[in-house]
Amino acid sequence: MPDPALDALMLPFADRRLAWPEAGALFLRAREGAALHAHAPRERVVCEQSFRPAHDALQRAGFQVRAGGGDAFPLVLALPPRQRDEARALLARALARTAPGGRVVAAMANDAGARSGQADFEALLGPAQSMSKYKSRVFWAGTGRADAALAEAWQGLDAPRPILDGRFRSRPGVFAWDRIDPASALLARHLPGDLAGHGADLGAGWGFLSDCVLARCPGVGALDVVEAEARALDCARENLAVHAPRVALEFLWHDVTAGLPRRYDFIVTNPPFHALRGEPRPDIGRAFIAAAAAAMRPGGQLWLVANRQLPYEQALASGFARVDEVARADGYKVVRAVKG
């Protein structure tokens, strides 16, 4: 898939305005793509990515990749996200991970907030050089004029904090980070109380649906909380700790589309239908359904919520013996599918 922000990020290296330091570079929220292959020396780039599919793609491409770290580099690259608090925290983290005398380079697509992203970048680091192409913008600066007080203020902007009157904890940048999204709320209203055995919540986010299952279904003895974004999974671990004395909980940082590691008696899911950069991807939802069908024990139930126009019927029919639409409201549908 095209990645305009990544293409823009590599422009100063393609034009030889910037060079890769011998001591190596750090790439925060890194993504694999053709521009990275063309212009980044694999042996001199350390990638950090907390989203498992992007993490795994970088690893398969031969890059050194990890979920986090603490060492400093003479060059730090970043692809700030659309969510502004998370983006500002990422810029502060990039500054903190830059060695003295080093440089920070960031890029954003125009429709993801490139203009305001550059303004934030320059507020933190001072005047920046920039280039625009691919409907995106790349900007870079040294650290000599950085605002230390602003960096300290921004470092905690994406930290976990209480939400929903303190019932849960979440953080900016996580899906529906400070609210219960309407689709999950609809599914929660229709979940039965007799789910039992070993289940899974696929794409669990900060843990809302898992909490509903565990609070409502005393027959559940074990639950796998499966989430691709490590930042969200950390919140789910906190939010579900109250259930740990009664239920065996396992938290899996995992890409559901790659398949599931065990068999289940039931699965609940509000599958994503957009990719990391926000483009529509209904194939992700179909892959969730296929993974659920392959991992379900005979007689097991899938409870799924989705936008009602998403074309999931064929995937459901091919994986399950019985498929029923349980509810339809506010543009969403709740489906119960039973494994034959």
Side-chain angles (χ1 to χ4, degrees), residues 5-18:
L6 177 62
D7 293 343
L9 186 70
M10 293 295 109
L11 278 173
F13 301 97
D15 285 2
R16 301 182 184 275
R17 299 191 189 194
L18 296 176

Side-chain angles (χ1 to χ4, degrees), residues 152-326:
E152 185 177 0
W154 283 4
Q155 279 178 352
L157 286 180
D158 70 339
R161 79 280 311 268
I163 62 167
L164 302 175
D165 298 323
R167 283 184 60 208
F168 301 103
R169 288 176 64 81
S170 184
R171 63 195 306 178
V174 169
F175 171 69
W177 81 270
D178 58 352
R179 65 193 188 281
I180 299 169
D181 71 282
S184 293
L186 181 64
L187 178 55
R189 291 199 297 272
H190 291 88
L191 283 176
D194 60 356
L195 297 176
H198 193 159
D201 180 358
L202 307 185
W206 50 260
F208 169 70
L209 284 175
S210 291
D211 181 75
C212 290
V213 169
L214 295 172
R216 186 174 306 174
C217 304
V220 175
L223 186 71
D224 287 1
V225 182
V226 188
E227 171 55 43
E229 177 51 67
R231 300 171 70 253
L233 192 64
D234 289 342
C235 296
R237 189 176 285 108
E238 285 190 68
N239 291 329
L240 301 176
V242 65
H243 301 287
R246 183 182 67 82
V247 181
L249 297 174
E250 187 165 354
F251 297 88
L252 304 179
W253 182 46
H254 182 69
D255 177 8
V256 171
T257 67
L260 296 169
R262 56 175 62 94
R263 307 273 276 175
Y264 297 104
D265 300 302
F266 70 89
I267 289 172
V268 300
T269 184
N270 177 5
F273 56 93
H274 290 91
L276 182 61
R277 302 189 303 276
E279 67 272 22
R281 289 283 304 277
D283 58 299
I284 297 176
R286 291 192 291 267
F288 267 55
I289 293 167
M296 195 78 73
R297 292 191 177 103
Q301 301 179 52
L302 169 67
W303 284 82
L304 171 145
V305 67
N307 285 35
R308 65 186 183 189
Q309 77 273 13
L310 288 173
Y312 291 163
E313 283 71 21
Q314 184 175 352
L316 287 162
S318 65
F320 294 90
R322 178 177 174 179
V323 179
D324 299 306
E325 187 174 301
V326 175

Side-chain angles (χ1 to χ4, degrees), residues 125-158:
L125 288 156
Q129 298 183 67
S130 66
M131 300 173 68
S132 294
K133 197 174 182 180
Y134 311 118
K135 297 182 179 179
S136 301
R137 187 176 301 192
V138 57
F139 28 91
W140 65 93
T143 60
R145 300 178 65 178
D147 186 330
L150 188 60
E152 185 177 0
W154 283 4
Q155 279 178 352
L157 286 180
D158 70 339

